[in-house]
């Protein structure tokens, strides 16, 4: 019984390998160029690069209030 389980497991492995082999792949140079272009096109939306407007920043230091 363990032999048939081993055969079934190997058939699943072979099927997965065939599926992965049939996928279309990109060259690393093309993928990195696409990623660079995407980052440059969306840099104006990135708050880490542009900063958070002070009126929208929930973590800004609180203003002191003086009551007399």
């Amino acid at each position: 019984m363990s032999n048939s389980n081993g055969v079934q497991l190997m058939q699943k492995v072979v099927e997965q390998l065939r599926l992965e082999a049939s996928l279309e792949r990109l060259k690393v140079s093309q993928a990195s160029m696409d990623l660079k272009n995407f980052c440059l096109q969306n840099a104006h939306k990135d708050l880490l690069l542009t900063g958070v407007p002070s009126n929208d920043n929930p973590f800004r230091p609180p203003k002191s209030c003086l009551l007399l």
Side-chain angles (χ1 to χ4, degrees), residues 11-61:
Q11 286 174 339
K12 287 182 181 182
V13 169
V14 168
E15 182 180 333
Q16 181 65 32
L17 289 172
R18 285 183 179 153
L19 176 68
E20 291 176 14
S22 68
L23 294 176
E24 184 178 342
R25 301 185 188 270
L26 290 176
K27 292 186 175 189
V28 173
S29 58
Q30 180 63 43
S32 61
M33 189 172 18
D34 290 346
L35 181 60
K36 178 184 168 189
N37 290 335
F38 175 82
C39 291
L40 291 173
Q41 289 172 356
N42 293 295
H44 67 281
K45 298 177 189 175
D46 191 343
L47 295 178
L48 293 174
L49 297 175
T50 61
V52 178
S54 62
N55 58 350
D56 292 341
N57 187 355
F59 300 107
R60 68 181 177 270

